[in-house]
Coordinates of all heavy atoms in Angstrom, one line a residue:
L1 N 53.2 100.0 301.2 CA 54.1 100.2 302.4 C 55.2 101.0 302.1 O 55.9 100.8 301.1 CB 54.4 98.8 303.0 CG 53.3 97.9 303.5 CD1 53.9 96.5 303.9 CD2 52.6 98.6 304.7
R2 N 55.6 101.9 303.1 CA 56.8 102.7 302.9 C 58.0 101.9 303.5 O 57.9 101.3 304.6 CB 56.5 104.0 303.5 CG 55.8 104.9 302.9 CD 55.7 106.2 303.6 NE 55.2 107.2 302.7 CZ 55.8 108.1 301.9 NH1 57.2 107.9 301.7 NH2 55.2 108.9 301.2
L3 N 59.2 102.0 302.9 CA 60.4 101.6 303.4 C 61.1 102.5 304.3 O 61.7 102.2 305.3 CB 61.4 101.1 302.4 CG 60.9 100.0 301.4 CD1 61.9 99.8 300.3 CD2 60.7 98.7 302.1
L4 N 60.9 103.8 304.0 CA 61.4 104.8 304.8 C 60.4 105.8 305.2 O 59.4 106.1 304.4 CB 62.5 105.5 304.1 CG 63.8 104.8 303.7 CD1 64.7 105.7 302.8 CD2 64.5 104.5 304.9
P5 N 60.4 106.6 306.2 CA 59.5 107.5 306.5 C 59.7 108.8 305.5 O 60.7 109.0 305.2 CB 59.8 107.9 307.9 CG 61.2 107.5 308.4 CD 61.4 106.4 307.4
P6 N 58.5 109.4 305.3 CA 58.7 110.5 304.3 C 59.6 111.6 305.0 O 59.5 111.9 306.3 CB 57.3 111.1 304.2 CG 56.4 110.4 305.2 CD 57.1 109.2 305.8
G7 N 60.4 112.3 304.1 CA 61.3 113.4 304.7 C 62.5 113.5 303.7 O 62.5 113.0 302.6
P8 N 63.3 114.3 304.2 CA 64.5 114.5 303.3 C 65.4 113.5 303.1 O 66.1 113.4 301.9 CB 65.3 115.7 304.0 CG 64.7 115.8 305.4 CD 63.3 115.1 305.4
L9 N 65.6 112.4 303.9 CA 66.4 111.3 303.7 C 65.9 110.5 302.5 O 66.5 110.0 301.6 CB 66.5 110.4 305.0 CG 67.3 109.1 304.8 CD1 68.7 109.5 304.3 CD2 67.2 108.3 306.1
E10 N 64.5 110.4 302.6 CA 63.8 109.6 301.4 C 64.0 110.2 300.1 O 64.3 109.6 299.1 CB 62.4 109.6 301.8 CG 61.6 108.8 300.8 CD 60.1 108.7 300.9 OE1 59.5 109.9 301.4 OE2 59.4 107.7 300.8
L11 N 64.0 111.6 300.0 CA 64.2 112.3 298.7 C 65.7 112.2 298.3 O 65.8 111.9 297.1 CB 63.8 113.8 298.9 CG 64.1 114.6 297.7 CD1 63.2 114.2 296.5 CD2 63.7 116.1 298.0
A12 N 66.7 112.3 299.3 CA 67.9 112.2 299.0 C 68.5 110.8 298.6 O 69.1 110.6 297.6 CB 68.8 112.6 300.2
L13 N 67.8 109.8 299.2 CA 68.1 108.4 298.7 C 67.6 108.3 297.3 O 68.1 107.6 296.4 CB 67.5 107.5 299.7 CG 67.8 105.9 299.3 CD1 69.3 105.7 299.3 CD2 67.2 105.1 300.4
G14 N 66.4 108.8 296.9 CA 65.7 108.5 295.7 C 66.5 109.2 294.6 O 66.8 108.6 293.6
I15 N 67.2 110.4 294.9 CA 68.0 111.1 293.9 C 69.4 110.3 293.8 O 69.8 110.2 292.7 CB 68.3 112.5 294.4 CG1 66.9 113.4 294.2 CG2 69.3 113.1 293.6 CD1 66.9 114.7 294.7
V16 N 69.9 109.7 294.9 CA 71.1 109.0 294.9 C 71.0 107.8 294.0 O 71.9 107.4 293.4 CB 71.6 108.7 296.2 CG1 72.6 107.7 296.3 CG2 72.2 109.9 296.9
L17 N 69.8 107.1 294.0 CA 69.5 106.0 293.2 C 69.2 106.4 291.7 O 69.6 105.7 290.8 CB 68.5 105.1 293.8 CG 68.8 104.4 295.1 CD1 67.5 103.8 295.8 CD2 70.0 103.4 294.9
L18 N 68.4 107.4 291.5 CA 67.8 107.9 290.2 C 69.0 108.3 289.5 O 69.2 107.9 288.2 CB 66.9 108.9 290.3 CG 66.3 109.4 289.1 CD1 65.6 108.3 288.3 CD2 65.3 110.5 289.4
A19 N 69.8 109.2 289.8 CA 70.9 109.9 289.0 C 71.8 108.9 288.4 O 72.1 108.8 287.1 CB 71.7 110.9 289.8
P20 N 72.4 107.9 289.1 CA 73.3 106.9 288.4 C 72.6 106.0 287.5 O 73.0 105.6 286.5 CB 74.0 106.1 289.6 CG 73.6 106.9 290.9 CD 72.5 107.8 290.5
G21 N 71.3 105.7 287.8 CA 70.5 104.8 286.9 C 70.3 105.6 285.6 O 70.3 104.9 284.6
L22 N 69.8 106.7 285.6 CA 69.7 107.5 284.3 C 71.1 107.6 283.7 O 71.0 107.5 282.4 CB 69.0 108.8 284.7 CG 67.6 108.8 285.1 CD1 67.1 110.2 285.4 CD2 66.7 108.0 284.2
A23 N 72.1 107.9 284.3 CA 73.4 108.0 283.7 C 73.9 106.7 283.1 O 74.5 106.8 282.0 CB 74.5 108.5 284.7
F24 N 73.6 105.6 283.8 CA 73.8 104.4 283.1 C 73.1 104.1 281.8 O 73.7 103.6 280.8 CB 73.4 103.2 284.1 CG 73.8 101.8 283.5 CD1 75.0 101.4 283.4 CD2 72.6 101.0 283.1 CE1 75.2 100.1 282.9 CE2 72.8 99.8 282.6 CZ 74.2 99.3 282.5
T25 N 71.9 104.4 281.7 CA 71.1 104.4 280.4 C 71.7 105.2 279.4 O 71.8 104.9 278.2 CB 69.6 104.7 280.5 OG1 69.4 106.1 280.9 CG2 68.9 103.8 281.6
V26 N 72.2 106.4 279.8 CA 72.8 107.3 278.7 C 74.2 106.7 278.3 O 74.5 106.6 277.0 CB 73.1 108.8 279.3 CG1 73.9 109.5 278.4 CG2 71.6 109.4 279.5
W27 N 74.9 106.1 279.3 CA 76.2 105.5 279.0 C 76.0 104.4 278.0 O 76.6 104.1 277.1 CB 76.9 105.1 280.2 CG 78.1 104.3 280.0 CD1 79.3 104.7 279.6 CD2 78.1 102.7 279.9 NE1 80.2 103.6 279.4 CE2 79.5 102.4 279.5 CE3 77.2 101.8 280.1 CZ2 79.8 101.0 279.4 CZ3 77.5 100.4 279.9 CH2 79.0 100.1 279.6
A28 N 74.8 103.5 278.4 CA 74.6 102.3 277.5 C 74.3 102.7 276.0 O 74.7 102.1 275.2 CB 73.6 101.5 278.2
R29 N 73.5 103.7 275.9 CA 73.1 104.2 274.5 C 74.3 104.6 273.8 O 74.4 104.3 272.6 CB 72.0 105.2 274.6 CG 71.6 105.6 273.3 CD 70.3 106.5 273.4 NE 69.6 106.5 272.1 CZ 68.3 106.5 272.0 NH1 67.6 106.6 273.0 NH2 67.8 106.5 270.8
V30 N 75.1 105.4 274.4 CA 76.3 105.9 273.8 C 77.3 104.6 273.4 O 77.8 104.6 272.4 CB 77.1 107.0 274.7 CG1 78.5 107.2 274.1 CG2 76.2 108.2 274.8
Y31 N 77.4 103.8 274.4 CA 78.4 102.7 274.1 C 77.8 101.8 273.0 O 78.4 101.4 272.2 CB 78.5 101.9 275.6 CG 79.3 100.6 275.4 CD1 80.8 100.7 275.1 CD2 78.7 99.3 275.1 CE1 81.5 99.5 275.0 CE2 79.4 98.3 275.1 CZ 80.9 98.5 275.0 OH 81.7 97.2 274.7
L32 N 76.6 101.5 273.0 CA 76.0 100.6 272.1 C 76.0 101.1 270.7 O 76.2 100.6 269.7 CB 74.6 100.0 272.5 CG 74.6 99.2 273.7 CD1 73.1 98.9 274.1 CD2 75.2 97.9 273.4
A33 N 75.9 102.5 270.7 CA 75.7 103.2 269.3 C 77.3 103.2 268.8 O 77.5 103.0 267.7 CB 75.3 104.6 269.5
G34 N 78.3 103.2 269.7 CA 79.6 103.2 269.2 C 80.2 102.0 268.8 O 81.2 101.8 268.1

């Protein structure tokens, strides 16, 4: 089941959630290494 209809809003929301999530993993790797 889809939560949102397909379209630009769905893509934008995906990027808005993905970018900070990936940035958090990079930050965590740098922080834990430090």
